[in-house]
Structure formats: structure tokens, C-alpha cells
Amino acid sequence: MSGDKEHAIVVENLTKDYGDIRAVDDVSFTVKRGEVFAFLGPNGAGKTTTVEIIETIRAPTSGRVSVLGLDVATSRGAIIPRIGVLPQGFNSFDRITVAESIRFYSRLFGGSAADVDGLMDLTELREKRDVQFKNLSGGLKQRLGIAIALVNDPEVVFLDEPTTGLDPHARRAVWSVLQGLKSKGKTVFLTTHYMEEAELLADTVAIISSGRIVATGSPARLTEMHTEQLRVTLSPGDAASIDLIQRMGFNPARTIDDGVDIPVRTSDDVLGILAAIREAGLPAPSGLEVRRPTLEEVFLKLTSEPPAERSRRSAP
Amino acid sequence: MSPRVVAATLVVRIRSLYRERSALFFTFAFPIILVLVFGAIFTRPERLNFELPVQDHSRSEASARLLEGFTADHVFTILPVPLDVDPALYAREHKLTLLLVIPSEFQSWHDLRAVERDAAAGAPLTYVHDPSSTSVDTKIQLLNSIVAAANQRYSGATAFITLVPQSILSGTYRFIEFFVPGIIAMAIMTSALSNALNSNAELRQKGILRKLAATPITRADWLVSSILYQLMLAVVSTGAILLTSYLVFDVRLHIDMWLPLIVAVEVFAFVGIGMTLTPLAKEAESASAVSNAVLFPMMFLSGTFFPVEMMPGFLQTVARFLPLYYVNEALRAAMIFADSASALRWSSILAAFAAAAFVAGTIRTRWGE
């Protein structure tokens, strides 16, 4: 089916049941070689189950999954050496140091030549090489996990929630490591529930909710597709202007800092509003902001809709 | 002090205790198990009618009269012992704590003393006893008092019959000699089982097993490494126990090829049992509950701290289903009695346990899921 050069991962009609509970429901998507693919979804949406099936750790109930052209059901032994995995909530042996951990995992892959120092440089862990795992901070643990995910120089790297629970600095440090991976041409499968992470790093985003894919595309395209509106904020927003804007047929709302927020369709609407204010001789606003809603707003919208409405929407 | 705060705190503590299985086990179940086990052992009703195995080489009128004295008040029941066996060996094999030997010359000694009035004639009778048994002292006292009564029938200043104690063992044998092999067996069991259960649950809970599942390591690699690890620990701890008991208590046990062999089979058996129980112990809490539930009864019922023969019959039957019992028996056969035949017999049974546990364990354990 999918021994193609273009795709690193092909998932077709994947379903996974745990007893009566359907964790993953007829999911299909593809990941291109060399891209960063972000798998977004709220907690419990089926992200980790899907990832673990692709990693060959879990068996699917039905459907087909191939990684690098190899079927996960039959080619586990051939897939494992070519992928790298950072599991969710990564932990290593408490009393084993950074360098020892990296060496241990590289030996599991038979890699005598694994470049322990190089991996520590890439993940900025060299100073911590002799620190035991239990004494590392959350961010350093995750970076060690990424270094370990790379010991076999994998073609596809799976990172399951690499920045969950990290402070903003630690998160940025992990992001810079991920950008390094991307520039090396690795295919990265990133699972996250942080939109800014996906917006910053991902070429393609898939949003999963309650076991079903509700949207896929580039971050920009997703925001475009799923929000019809732009948002204009004028400040200060005096009563006369608000009245005027209302009469033009818009739906302005006061913001907490005395501005006025107006949903509009196009940038022509923005120009029209500004022209009308000037013509009416009202004071020109000193602040003006026009923005497209963020991926986070798209995400919240898509993942909070009832399933029936959602499946209709995601049908095309 | 606010009663409401105290009450709220109390409720939270009781809830937490109630929901933590291993704490519950140690708080309530463990002492109850101890009461039941030790109660059953130490409240065994005293039997007045003891059995006395006798090897009567004399088979004479004199010896018959002597034996009548033993059975007179239904104190002892005489069990005849075959004449062609070594009494110490026989006692060991049949787990007898006391065995009396009447030599073939008994009738002629009797005649010397009673008929020919030779006041110097005496009859030394040997009794073979197991000094580690706690009930044997009572029996020996009874034996002595009956012999004293029999001696009264003979005139003269010196007693006619004298009792010569002979230990069931060739060398010295104290409780500590009995105890050390039991401690070796227990230490290996505890380490192998708790490693298989507790550390595996910890690795699972931390997600390390999941990470390992995404590497080329196989179940066989993992298993072989745990067995080698446990073997190393077993060698070190056995060495340390033997050295300490030698240096501090001058315990000299017989050490030959059986010791490493039995230790290795024990490691296999308990790693296998641990594997079989792993699916019951997915979290650290349930792991310690499961391992305690297996370890403690095994420790007390398999003759680690006192001979199984001290326990009431039904508990002795239970002991025969516990693998640790066979480790104890095999180690004692090899290290105390230097008895290769018994060591072979017990360790073969242990090996069967190990094989069964391994088959069951291999079927039950799976990576990842």
C-alpha cells in the first residue's frame, strides 16, 4: 500500500477499543517525510493510544498503519531500529546519570558508535552528564528523553507531549532542540496540547477529539478554514464611535481596558469603519489592532463541539 | 483546638489508609496472619502418649521387660525400628527426634548384674536425638525418669542402665546451624520476588517499560538479565551470611557443589513466581501487597525459623506446597547433614516448581500492554 517515498507514516481507518471504550475511532492521516507533524488534542482524546500504535507498542483493533513503508502489524522488528520515541511523562532509571542513560539506550540499539557527546551537545546536557536522573529538573529530564530518542539516529522521531508541565524557559529550550531536529531533516511526530507549540514548530497539524480527527492542515490553513472572521480592536472606544459602528451593522463590544472589539469579515470592513469615524469628525483612535483568531481558538471551537456536529463538519 | 478540624483530619487519614492496600495489609492483616500462624504452632495440644522408636538388637526377655516399663502408663508407644539400619541415618530420614538403641548384649549384661550379682555390670543404652527439636527435651526427661525407675529394680550403688546421648548429627549441631540455611533461603527468595514484583511495577508506573518497549530489547534479554542480576545478589548475600555466622558464631556448615546449585535453582524458581504474579501487581502499592502476601506466610510456614515438624499436621501439609520448604530442606540436607541423596531429592522438587513457574510466567508476561 504505502511503500512510497513521500510519506513517513500512513494511517488508514485506525480503530482501537479498550473493552467497550473506543479510544480511537476510524482515524486516517498521513505524515510526509521530513515534516514536523503536530498531533493536537485535549487530554484523553486518543493521542497517546494512536502514537503508541504507530510506534508498534500497541496493537490496533482494526485499520492499517505503516511507518517508512512497513506495516506495524508485521514489521515491528524492522521499524523499531528506524524510529526514536520520547514517551509521555518520560522517566529513566533514578540513579543512572545522563551520560550512562544515553549509553545504555544506545547499546540496546546495538549502537557502539552512538555519539553520546554529540547528543548531549544537541540537547545542551553536557554540563549535566554526571548528574543522576532523579536530580534533574523537569526540562532537563525531557531533554535527556529527546537525546535518548535519538540514540539510533532515527528517521522518524515521536515526541509525546515533550513540554507538558515545563515552565516557559524549559519549554523554549525544548523547542529549540526540536527546531534543531527539523533542520536536520528528521520527520517529527509531535503530540501536544499546546497550540503555540504547534503553531511555532509544525508544518502540518491534525486535531483529534474523542478519538476522531476533526481537522488537518497547516496551522495557517486551519485558522483560515475554521474562522470566518477577523477581529479589530480600537482604543479608546468612545460611546459615539460605538454608536456609529453599531449603526453600520457591526457588533462592537467594550473591552475591559476601555477599548472596543469588533468582529469583521474582511480588511475592507476595517477601512470602512476608520473612514466613517473620520467623516463623522469623531476623535481618531490612538490604538488599532487587527488579528486573525489563533489556532487555540480554532482548537477550542473544534474540540468543544458535540460529536454529531463535528463529524458533519469534518466530513470533507 | 477545633473538634471539626480534628474530625476532618481523622476522616482523611482513615480514607487514605482504607484505600492503600499495602498499609492495610501491614496494619491489620499482617498481625492477624502472625497470630494465626504462631498460634497454630505454639498452641498445639501436648500429646502425652509419645512415640518412641526403638531399635532392639537384644530381643530378649530383659529388653522386653524394659520396654514394658516405657509403655506402662501409656507414656510411650514403642515403634520398632529395623535392625539393619544405621540409627542416626534412619532418624534423619524419618524425621525422628528421638530413637533408642538397645544393644544385643543387653540380656547378658542383665544376667551379669541380676543373676551373678556383679555390681559393676552396667548397660549403656544409646539414644539418638535431634537437638534442634524443642519437644525432644521433654521426651528425654521422660526417658530418664523411666530408666531411673527401671534401675530401682537392680540392687547396687551404681545404676545399671545408663543413657548415652548421641546427636542425630556427626558433628556439633546447634540451633544456629539449623537457622543459617533458612536465612540464606529467605534472603534469596525476598530479593528475587520483590525485585520481580516491586521493581517491575515501579518501572511500569514510571513508563520505563514503555520506553523499553520502543527499543529492540526482547523479553528474553530482559529475563536473562534479571536472572543474572539475582544470581549475583544471591552469591553475595549467601557469602555474607555464611561469613558473618562463621566469624560471630563459629558456624561451620558443609559447603560443596550443592550450595551453588540449590541457590541457582531457588533464584530461577522465585524469579519465575515473580513473573507469574507480575500481572497482579501493576502498581507499586499492589506489588508490595502481593509480595508480602506471598513472602510472609512462606517465611513462617516453610521452616525458616523453626522446624516444620513443630507445626500442627495441617500446616505441615501446607508447607509441602510451598517452594521455600524445599529450598530449606535441600539446603539443610546439603549443608548440615552433607546428605547428597536428600539434597538431590529436594532440589529436584524445587526445580519442578521453578519450571512450572517459568512456563506460567512466560505465558502471562507481555511487554507494553
Side-chain angles (χ1 to χ4, degrees):
Chain A
M1 59 175 196
S2 43
D4 56 295
K5 294 235 158 36
E6 191 192 351
H7 293 115
I9 299 167
V10 179
V11 176
E12 290 171 323
N13 310 107
L14 174 67
T15 294
K16 175 71 181 180
D17 294 337
Y18 294 114
D20 289 339
I21 298 159
R22 179 148 291 189
V24 177
D25 187 4
D26 195 26
V27 159
S28 300
F29 60 86
T30 55
V31 178
K32 289 195 190 80
R33 286 186 196 239
E35 78 171 338
V36 174
F37 180 91
F39 202 43
L40 296 181
N43 294 328
K47 297 191 297 289
T48 296
T49 299
T50 307
V51 177
E52 290 186 350
I53 291 170
I54 304 172
E55 291 163 356
T56 77
I57 298 176
R58 258 171 225 286
T61 303
S62 66
R64 287 175 69 108
V65 177
S66 76
V67 176
L68 299 166
L70 301 160
D71 193 324
V72 293
T74 54
S75 307
R76 178 185 149 82
I79 293 171
I80 289 283
R82 296 173 65 184
I83 64 172
V85 170
L86 172 76
Q88 197 181 102
F90 168 79
N91 269 302
S92 189
F93 303 95
D94 273 343
R95 286 173 183 79
I96 301 300
T97 66
V98 166
E100 289 163 348
S101 281
I102 297 175
R103 214 171 300 126
F104 164 69
Y105 280 100
S106 84
R107 290 207 175 119
L108 293 188
F109 283 95
S112 49
D115 180 9
V116 175
D117 288 334
L119 288 171
M120 283 191 293
D121 285 340
L122 179 71
T123 48
E124 291 161 49
L125 282 170
R126 211 192 248 272
E127 281 171 32
K128 305 285 178 183
R129 61 173 300 141
D130 296 322
V131 178
Q132 295 184 7
F133 184 77
K134 65 181 164 72
N135 297 328
L136 295 174
S137 68
L140 294 175
K141 284 180 177 172
Q142 287 302 83
R143 269 143 65 184
L144 172 61
I146 295 170
I148 287 172
L150 300 173
V151 289
N152 53 330
D153 194 19
E155 291 160 66
V156 186
V157 185
F158 294 88
L159 305 165
D160 196 354
E161 300 196 2
T163 62
T164 297
L166 301 188
D167 67 45
H169 289 292
R171 178 171 299 157
R172 273 168 184 75
V174 169
W175 287 346
S176 90
V177 173
L178 297 192
Q179 274 161 334
L181 291 186
K182 188 177 174 177
S183 65
K184 283 178 135 191
K186 305 261 186 217
T187 307
V188 177
F189 191 109
L190 174 70
T191 305
T192 183
H193 49 231
Y194 294 116
M195 299 312 124
E196 39 179 344
E197 193 163 296
E199 266 180 326
L200 182 73
L201 301 167
D203 301 306
T204 307
V205 170
I207 298 176
I208 184 170
S209 176
S210 305
R212 311 196 70 161
I213 301 275
V214 291
T216 36
S218 69
R221 209 175 104 77
L222 279 186
T223 48
E224 228 166 76
M225 258 175 59
H226 292 276
T227 52
E228 303 87 359
Q229 296 174 331
L230 293 175
R231 221 164 252 271
V232 183
T233 308
L234 303 179
S235 56
D238 57 287
S241 304
I242 291 175
D243 194 44
L244 171 72
I245 295 162
Q246 235 160 10
R247 270 184 281 119
M248 291 174 74
F250 296 106
N251 192 16
R254 270 206 177 281
T255 65
I256 45 167
D257 53 355
D258 247 3
V260 58
D261 218 19
I262 316 145
V264 298
R265 289 197 173 278
T266 65
S267 48
D268 284 349
D269 292 339
V270 184
L271 296 174
I273 289 168
L274 291 175
I277 289 173
R278 196 168 55 184
E279 276 169 27
L282 294 167
S286 57
L288 166 69
E289 190 193 1
V290 183
R291 65 190 174 85
R292 184 170 284 287
T294 60
L295 188 57
E296 181 147 337
E297 284 162 289
V298 175
F299 174 81
L300 288 172
K301 184 168 158 233
L302 288 174
T303 57
S304 59
E305 282 170 2
E309 193 181 330
R310 197 180 57 217
S311 53
R312 188 159 40 77
R313 190 182 285 270
S314 62
Chain B
M1 189 198 81
S2 152
R4 198 184 300 168
V5 172
V6 172
T9 315
L10 200 58
V11 166
V12 167
R13 286 182 177 224
I14 292 170
R15 280 207 176 115
S16 309
L17 173 67
Y18 172 71
R19 287 168 193 168
E20 195 190 328
R21 277 191 275 179
S22 83
L24 264 188
F25 176 84
F26 273 111
T27 317
F28 300 115
F30 185 55
I32 291 171
I33 289 174
L34 290 190
V35 167
L36 293 176
V37 170
F38 284 102
I41 292 161
F42 293 116
T43 59
R44 182 156 63 139
E46 283 290 321
R47 272 189 311 169
L48 272 178
N49 198 346
F50 284 105
E51 287 170 346
L52 180 64
V54 175
Q55 191 177 43
D56 184 2
H57 289 284
S58 167
R59 280 167 300 160
S60 58
E61 197 188 322
S63 68
R65 267 193 59 200
L66 177 68
L67 294 179
E68 268 168 37
F70 286 116
T71 54
D73 297 317
H74 300 285
V75 177
F76 282 117
T77 312
I78 303 295
L79 293 180
V81 172
L83 298 180
D84 54 347
V85 297
D86 175 73
L89 211 64
Y90 185 84
R92 217 150 64 208
E93 271 174 12
H94 292 78
K95 297 199 174 292
L96 305 175
T97 51
L98 183 65
L99 188 157
L100 183 69
V101 182
I102 304 176
S104 51
E105 303 92 334
F106 190 71
Q107 180 70 46
S108 53
W109 291 337
H110 168 82
D111 293 345
L112 265 179
R113 179 78 174 235
V115 182
E116 295 177 30
R117 303 280 163 192
D118 178 354
L125 300 190
T126 304
Y127 66 86
V128 173
H129 71 293
D130 178 354
S132 73
S133 158
T134 50
S135 64
V136 79
D137 290 336
T138 324
K139 285 172 135 186
I140 293 171
Q141 277 170 25
L142 275 171
L143 196 65
N144 274 314
S145 65
I146 293 168
V147 166
N151 277 338
Q152 282 172 3
R153 289 198 295 271
Y154 300 91
S155 56
T158 53
F160 170 58
I161 301 170
T162 50
L163 287 172
V164 183
Q166 184 200 331
S167 171
I168 199 164
L169 300 152
S170 33
T172 52
Y173 179 62
R174 297 162 293 165
F175 180 69
I176 183 81
E177 269 94 21
F178 168 87
F179 193 62
V180 167
I183 294 299
I184 291 173
M186 185 195 76
I188 294 169
M189 166 183 79
T190 310
S191 163
L193 205 61
S194 70
N195 179 267
L197 290 173
N198 301 0
S199 335
N200 254 8
E202 196 193 334
L203 292 181
R204 179 193 298 271
Q205 228 169 358
K206 283 185 168 175
I208 295 178
L209 288 186
R210 203 183 328 164
K211 170 68 201 181
L212 289 172
T215 71
I217 189 172
T218 62
R219 202 167 60 185
D221 294 330
W222 182 254
L223 192 59
V224 170
S225 76
S226 356
I227 288 170
L228 288 176
Y229 172 63
Q230 286 305 322
L231 282 174
M232 280 166 50
L233 295 187
V235 167
V236 173
S237 84
T238 303
I241 292 168
L242 287 175
L243 190 67
T244 307
S245 49
Y246 169 70
L247 293 177
V248 180
F249 299 107
D250 193 35
V251 171
R252 293 154 197 267
L253 291 161
H254 199 85
I255 294 169
D256 56 14
M257 52 82 100
W258 283 108
L259 176 62
L261 204 78
I262 296 164
V263 163
V265 178
E266 183 185 4
V267 166
F268 273 93
F270 283 102
V271 168
I273 290 169
M275 277 166 62
T276 317
L277 297 175
T278 302
L280 298 179
K282 294 197 172 162
E283 295 153 21
E285 262 176 37
S286 50
S288 65
V290 169
S291 65
N292 292 333
V294 175
L295 289 178
F296 285 104
M298 195 104 83
M299 238 177 247
F300 294 120
L301 297 178
S302 304
T304 302
F305 304 116
F306 44 79
V308 167
E309 288 70 35
M310 270 181 72
M311 302 194 300
F314 78 96
L315 284 183
Q316 296 193 30
T317 312
V318 171
R320 278 165 181 76
F321 290 96
L322 303 176
L324 189 64
Y325 168 78
Y326 298 97
V327 184
N328 285 330
E329 291 299 320
L331 281 180
R332 287 188 183 124
M335 299 177 78
I336 302 175
F337 304 110
D339 177 353
S340 293
S342 300
L344 174 65
R345 184 166 77 243
W346 299 124
S347 44
S348 305
I349 300 175
L350 183 64
F353 261 105
F358 254 80
V359 172
T362 317
I363 294 168
R364 294 198 64 172
T365 1
R366 273 185 292 159
W367 273 130
E369 281 179 86

